């Protein structure tokens, strides 16, 4: 009788041992699957911004992807700050653009911006840029089409159509300028 109880308790312990091992394996697999899902979901999160004014469009940022309206807004911002410039506000407007520049090309772009600033200050020019439209050429290039007018005091000395080409990169929702180029049409 004692022997049968011993065998039964031994069998029960073996069954419990197998059951517990199975549960541990299933839990380990579930933890791995949940970790994988959580990591993927954090990269695919989309944040939608709604500006306070009705004149602006809403835009979204999701990892390395951004909406068309975001690129249009940033193209307008760069065009305005780079090309609507006077002698007195040149340092401030160009300083608005420098924080957006990619670190790899920072000194090259800063040099170009410094040349533009020096030209404006030395010639006492007021420059106005009128945006026609913003074109998203590729996933890494924005073209701002418009016309530019240079004036000294109240006399317009030059008006021409130009394209402001902005090469950019978006990483983790952060917009970075790689290169700026102004082309005459």
């Amino acid at each position: 009788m004692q022997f049968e109880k011993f065998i039964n308790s031994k069998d029960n312990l073996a069954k419990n041992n197998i059951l517990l091992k199975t549960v541990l394996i299933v839990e380990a697999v579930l933890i791995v699957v949940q970790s994988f899902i959580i990591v993927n979901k954090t990269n695919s999160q989309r944040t939608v911004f709604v500006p306070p004014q009705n004149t602006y469009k809403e835009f979204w940022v999701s990892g390395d992807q951004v909406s068309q309206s975001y690129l249009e807004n940033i193209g307008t911002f760069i065009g305005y700050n780079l090309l609507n410039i006077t002698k007195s506000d040149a340092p401030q407007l160009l300083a608005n653009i420098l924080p957006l520049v990619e670190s790899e090309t920072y000194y090259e772009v800063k040099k170009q911006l410094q040349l533009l600033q020096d030209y404006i200050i030395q010639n006492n020019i007021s420059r106005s840029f009128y945006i026609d439209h913003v074109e998203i050429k590729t996933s890494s290039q924005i073209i701002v089409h418009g016309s530019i007018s240079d004036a000294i005091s109240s006399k317009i000395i030059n008006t021409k159509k130009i394209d402001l080409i902005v090469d950019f990169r978006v990483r983790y929702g952060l917009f970075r300028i790689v290169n700026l180029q102004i082309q005459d049409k």
Side-chain angles (χ1 to χ4, degrees), residues 115-148:
L115 289 173
L116 175 66
Q117 178 181 342
D118 292 345
Y119 175 75
I120 296 292
I121 291 172
Q122 288 172 359
N123 295 310
N124 198 18
I125 292 176
S126 295
R127 182 170 273 178
S128 299
F129 182 58
Y130 305 100
I131 297 174
D132 292 335
H133 67 284
V134 178
E135 177 184 358
I136 313 305
K137 192 72 171 178
T138 65
S139 63
S140 63
Q141 190 176 65
I142 302 170
I143 301 177
V144 183
H145 302 280
S147 59
I148 196 167

XYZ file of all heavy atoms in Angstrom, residues 115-148:
278
model
N 28.184 83.664 -46.537
C 28.418 84.437 -47.768
C 27.179 85.235 -48.162
O 27.278 86.397 -48.560
C 28.831 83.494 -48.909
C 30.227 82.873 -48.805
C 30.429 81.835 -49.912
C 31.295 83.951 -48.884
N 26.001 84.609 -48.039
C 24.748 85.301 -48.347
C 24.537 86.467 -47.382
O 24.200 87.575 -47.809
C 23.571 84.322 -48.255
C 22.186 84.923 -48.433
C 22.006 85.453 -49.844
C 21.124 83.888 -48.110
N 24.764 86.232 -46.122
C 24.601 87.279 -45.109
C 25.575 88.434 -45.367
O 25.185 89.601 -45.311
C 24.825 86.703 -43.724
C 24.716 87.724 -42.615
C 24.966 87.115 -41.245
O 24.894 85.915 -41.071
N 25.267 87.950 -40.278
N 26.824 88.133 -45.663
C 27.820 89.174 -45.934
C 27.442 90.004 -47.162
O 27.578 91.226 -47.165
C 29.208 88.559 -46.133
C 29.762 87.949 -44.852
O 29.227 88.244 -43.762
O 30.728 87.151 -44.956
N 26.922 89.342 -48.200
C 26.494 90.033 -49.419
C 25.359 91.015 -49.105
O 25.377 92.161 -49.557
C 26.046 89.009 -50.466
C 25.482 89.621 -51.716
C 26.310 90.210 -52.680
C 24.116 89.625 -51.953
C 25.789 90.771 -53.828
C 23.582 90.179 -53.091
C 24.419 90.756 -54.031
O 23.900 91.312 -55.162
N 24.399 90.557 -48.319
C 23.255 91.406 -47.954
C 23.721 92.605 -47.126
O 23.334 93.746 -47.394
C 22.202 90.586 -47.160
C 21.597 89.479 -48.020
C 21.124 91.482 -46.569
C 20.735 89.940 -49.150
N 24.573 92.373 -46.156
C 25.024 93.444 -45.259
C 25.933 94.429 -45.985
O 25.766 95.654 -45.858
C 25.715 92.842 -44.011
C 24.681 92.125 -43.146
C 26.448 93.914 -43.219
C 25.262 91.342 -41.992
N 26.893 93.945 -46.772
C 27.839 94.833 -47.456
C 27.153 95.712 -48.492
O 27.534 96.861 -48.689
C 28.942 94.012 -48.125
C 29.909 93.401 -47.153
C 30.874 92.444 -47.835
O 30.813 92.211 -49.038
N 31.767 91.854 -47.035
N 26.135 95.180 -49.160
C 25.455 95.938 -50.213
C 24.196 96.645 -49.710
O 23.497 97.286 -50.504
C 25.118 95.031 -51.382
C 26.370 94.513 -52.060
O 27.274 95.287 -52.386
N 26.452 93.215 -52.233
N 23.894 96.507 -48.416
C 22.720 97.140 -47.812
C 21.449 96.814 -48.598
O 20.660 97.695 -48.928
C 22.929 98.652 -47.699
C 21.966 99.270 -46.722
O 21.380 98.585 -45.890
N 21.802 100.587 -46.826
N 21.258 95.539 -48.868
C 20.143 95.069 -49.685
C 19.015 94.574 -48.796
O 19.241 93.964 -47.767
C 20.609 93.937 -50.620
C 21.575 94.487 -51.667
C 19.438 93.247 -51.291
C 22.164 93.446 -52.568
N 17.801 94.846 -49.241
C 16.610 94.218 -48.663
C 16.101 93.219 -49.698
O 15.873 93.587 -50.851
C 15.524 95.246 -48.372
O 15.962 96.143 -47.386
N 15.916 92.012 -49.286
C 15.521 90.964 -50.228
C 14.143 90.447 -49.827
O 13.895 90.163 -48.654
C 16.540 89.846 -50.184
C 16.274 88.728 -51.148
C 17.437 87.793 -51.229
N 18.364 88.316 -52.229
C 19.522 87.772 -52.553
N 19.930 86.699 -51.933
N 20.294 88.291 -53.471
N 13.263 90.311 -50.815
C 11.922 89.764 -50.586
C 11.726 88.546 -51.461
O 12.075 88.551 -52.648
C 10.848 90.800 -50.936
O 10.992 91.935 -50.126
N 11.147 87.515 -50.870
C 10.898 86.267 -51.594
C 9.399 85.992 -51.584
O 8.768 85.982 -50.526
C 11.661 85.112 -50.942
C 11.516 83.800 -51.642
C 11.879 83.650 -52.969
C 11.027 82.689 -50.970
C 11.764 82.430 -53.611
C 10.904 81.469 -51.602
C 11.276 81.342 -52.930
N 8.854 85.799 -52.763
C 7.427 85.514 -52.911
C 7.284 84.079 -53.396
O 7.687 83.748 -54.517
C 6.790 86.489 -53.901
C 7.035 87.930 -53.519
C 8.035 88.668 -54.143
C 6.293 88.534 -52.512
C 8.275 89.983 -53.786
C 6.530 89.848 -52.146
C 7.519 90.565 -52.787
O 7.769 91.869 -52.424
N 6.719 83.253 -52.548
C 6.613 81.825 -52.849
C 5.437 81.577 -53.785
O 4.309 81.996 -53.503
C 6.451 81.013 -51.548
C 7.687 81.178 -50.677
C 6.182 79.547 -51.853
C 7.579 80.539 -49.315
N 5.724 80.899 -54.902
C 4.654 80.470 -55.816
C 4.049 79.163 -55.307
O 2.851 79.072 -55.101
C 5.191 80.268 -57.236
C 5.615 81.572 -57.887
O 5.099 82.640 -57.487
O 6.484 81.533 -58.778
N 4.904 78.173 -55.131
C 4.455 76.890 -54.583
C 5.660 76.077 -54.111
O 6.798 76.365 -54.467
C 3.611 76.097 -55.583
C 4.367 75.606 -56.780
N 4.735 76.406 -57.837
C 4.843 74.369 -57.073
C 5.387 75.701 -58.732
N 5.485 74.455 -58.295
N 5.353 75.080 -53.307
C 6.386 74.196 -52.772
C 6.177 72.822 -53.386
O 5.079 72.282 -53.363
C 6.305 74.109 -51.231
C 7.358 73.158 -50.692
C 6.456 75.484 -50.602
N 7.249 72.275 -53.947
C 7.188 70.965 -54.610
C 8.059 69.978 -53.827
O 9.201 70.265 -53.498
C 7.711 71.101 -56.037
C 7.777 69.817 -56.807
C 8.408 70.012 -58.181
O 8.766 71.145 -58.554
O 8.549 69.002 -58.877
N 7.470 68.824 -53.533
C 8.223 67.751 -52.884
C 8.732 66.874 -54.022
O 7.993 66.064 -54.574
C 7.351 66.945 -51.902
C 6.541 67.869 -50.985
C 8.197 65.962 -51.127
C 7.344 68.864 -50.215
N 9.988 67.054 -54.383
C 10.560 66.367 -55.541
C 10.769 64.879 -55.269
O 10.341 64.042 -56.041
C 11.888 67.047 -55.911
C 12.444 66.642 -57.224
C 11.631 67.215 -58.355
C 12.339 66.963 -59.659
N 11.603 67.452 -60.783
N 11.471 64.561 -54.191
C 11.704 63.171 -53.803
C 11.509 63.076 -52.301
O 11.141 64.058 -51.665
C 13.132 62.712 -54.166
O 14.067 63.470 -53.394
C 13.430 62.862 -55.641
N 11.790 61.923 -51.746
C 11.657 61.773 -50.295
C 12.799 62.458 -49.551
O 12.846 62.409 -48.329
C 11.599 60.296 -49.923
O 12.817 59.672 -50.279
N 13.694 63.111 -50.287
C 14.798 63.814 -49.629
C 15.083 65.178 -50.256
O 16.146 65.736 -50.050
C 16.068 62.951 -49.680
O 16.465 62.758 -51.016
N 14.108 65.721 -51.004
C 14.343 67.019 -51.630
C 13.049 67.817 -51.737
O 12.027 67.310 -52.175
C 14.951 66.842 -53.022
C 15.447 68.125 -53.639
C 16.117 67.883 -54.978
O 15.466 67.468 -55.924
N 17.419 68.139 -55.042
N 13.135 69.068 -51.319
C 12.029 70.017 -51.429
C 12.495 71.128 -52.361
O 13.621 71.605 -52.248
C 11.682 70.651 -50.064
C 11.316 69.592 -49.039
C 10.565 71.665 -50.203
C 11.200 70.137 -47.626
N 11.622 71.540 -53.274
C 11.925 72.682 -54.136
C 10.873 73.755 -53.877
O 9.680 73.508 -54.036
C 11.940 72.287 -55.626
C 12.994 71.205 -55.866
C 12.200 73.515 -56.487
C 13.042 70.704 -57.289
N 11.348 74.931 -53.467
C 10.466 76.068 -53.226
C 10.587 76.982 -54.435
O 11.641 77.565 -54.679
C 10.849 76.810 -51.929
C 9.878 77.953 -51.665
C 10.892 75.852 -50.746
N 9.512 77.077 -55.212
C 9.481 77.927 -56.409
C 8.968 79.304 -56.015
O 8.035 79.422 -55.225
C 8.552 77.333 -57.469
C 8.910 75.945 -57.894
N 9.903 75.690 -58.802
C 8.416 74.737 -57.517
C 9.996 74.377 -58.986
N 9.103 73.780 -58.207
N 9.585 80.330 -56.585
C 9.124 81.677 -56.289
C 9.927 82.720 -57.016
O 10.761 82.411 -57.880
N 9.653 83.961 -56.672
C 10.403 85.068 -57.263
C 11.028 85.875 -56.137
O 10.487 85.974 -55.040
C 9.499 85.943 -58.128
O 8.444 86.467 -57.360
N 12.167 86.436 -56.469
C 12.940 87.178 -55.478
C 13.171 88.589 -56.005
O 13.394 88.781 -57.199
C 14.270 86.442 -55.188
C 14.888 86.945 -53.929
C 15.210 86.508 -56.331
C 16.004 86.076 -53.413
